[in-house]
Amino acid sequence: MTPRPHRAHLPEERTESTAPLPPPELTEAECRRCGTYIAGLDGRYACGVCGWVNDHSEGHRRLPRADEDPDRPPKGRRRPKQLPGPPPEKGSEPGPGPGPGPEPGPEPGP
């Protein structure tokens, strides 16, 4: 795997205002692939039926930068790495479970 090149962050290259962005506008349209009526934010859509997604550049407003995200963690602090899969249950021992076959039922009585 080849690492992606990163550019140095230059604060002077951004001349846009850092004022908070207005809230997104709810927009509605038909899916271009299957015709389902869908809703999106600021003209950006994703169809839950067929999976079609329009390009982000088709939106009505610019997307916010990472430094404009109110939920962004403080600088120098990273989010903890998430392990894949559900957490192990407490009290259960790792090891092979019961083999394939019918579940044991109640013993037949006289």
Side-chain angles (χ1 to χ4, degrees):
M1 182 183 270
T2 306
R4 287 193 256 178
H6 295 281
R7 291 184 0 177
H9 176 68
L10 302 174
E12 61 273 6
E13 75 180 11
R14 303 230 187 236
T15 58
E16 298 172 11
S17 170
T18 58
L21 295 173
E25 177 187 350
L26 184 63
T27 54
E28 300 167 339
E30 284 188 11
C31 173
R32 294 181 196 162
R33 185 184 295 162
C34 69
T36 301
Y37 189 71
I38 55 177
L41 296 176
D42 292 330
R44 293 177 177 92
Y45 304 103
C47 179
V49 176
C50 70
W52 171 81
V53 178
N54 71 333
D55 190 70
H56 69 89
S57 64
E58 295 178 39
H60 303 159
R61 291 186 246 184
R62 71 172 180 84
L63 291 170
R65 297 187 314 260
D67 60 346
E68 296 171 329
D69 183 359
D71 297 326
R72 184 178 184 195
K75 188 169 184 149
R77 184 170 161 237
R78 301 181 110 172
R79 292 186 175 152
K81 187 179 258 187
Q82 297 292 320
L83 298 175
E89 295 180 20
K90 292 182 179 181
S92 64
E93 296 180 18
E103 292 286 322
E107 294 289 324

